[in-house]
Amino acid sequence: MLPEYEHVVQYYETDQMKIVHHSNYIRWFEEARLWFMAQAGISYEKIEEDGVVIPVVEAQASYRSMVRFGDTVLIRPRIEKFNGAVLELSYEVKDKKTGVLRCQGRTRHCFLNPDGKLMLLKHDKPEYHAFFEKMKNEQDS
């Protein structure tokens, strides 16, 4: 079973109606992604120290139902594609109490060296290629 990241909605994440502003879901995707990587055994800080930067090149969110101040959501990230040059993840945001789907999303990433040049992990950082392959293969176990 995939792990779920838990997030309690803060007041500052909401608008005047105490509904979560749409921009926060993309932030939550990042929180869940970094948490997911840490659960698999490596921190984003460690990856950056080793000269790998993983920028977001595309983000998408589909809002299904409102999340409000004080709600707790569970965010489930899933690796959909990894080929050493591209990493794509999907996300489901569900209400912790009811299980109601609140949002679905995707992010797409590439891998860069500290100079901003594209990397192919299989050749440039084989240990990270193996790490992401293992994450993808084991995410359902």
Side-chain angles (χ1 to χ4, degrees), residues 69-121:
F69 169 60
D71 289 350
T72 300
V73 293
L74 299 175
I75 305 163
R76 179 172 287 156
R78 177 180 177 79
I79 296 174
E80 298 294 338
K81 177 182 179 182
F82 172 72
N83 64 13
V86 174
L87 174 66
E88 292 182 5
L89 291 100
S90 64
Y91 308 85
E92 283 189 346
V93 179
K94 292 185 177 182
D95 185 275
K96 183 177 179 181
K97 286 183 186 172
T98 66
V100 171
L101 181 64
R102 301 299 189 190
C103 181
Q104 292 173 295
R106 298 180 80 79
T107 57
R108 187 174 197 208
H109 309 263
C110 66
F111 301 94
L112 303 177
N113 69 20
D115 295 326
K117 298 208 189 276
L118 286 171
M119 298 177 76
L120 294 174
L121 291 186

Side-chain angles (χ1 to χ4, degrees), residues 4 13-14 19 22 30 45 57 64 67 73 83 88 97-98 105 108 115 118 130 133:
E4 295 175 313
E13 296 174 307
T14 65
I19 296 170
H22 65 274
E30 180 176 284
E45 293 86 2
V57 296
R64 304 294 183 209
V67 178
V73 293
N83 64 13
E88 292 182 5
K97 286 183 186 172
T98 66
R108 187 174 197 208
D115 295 326
L118 286 171
E133 279 285 327

Side-chain angles (χ1 to χ4, degrees), residues 125-136:
K125 296 286 184 177
E127 66 275 20
Y128 289 120
H129 187 273
F131 170 76
F132 285 108
E133 279 285 327
K134 183 179 179 195
M135 277 184 73
K136 183 174 186 342

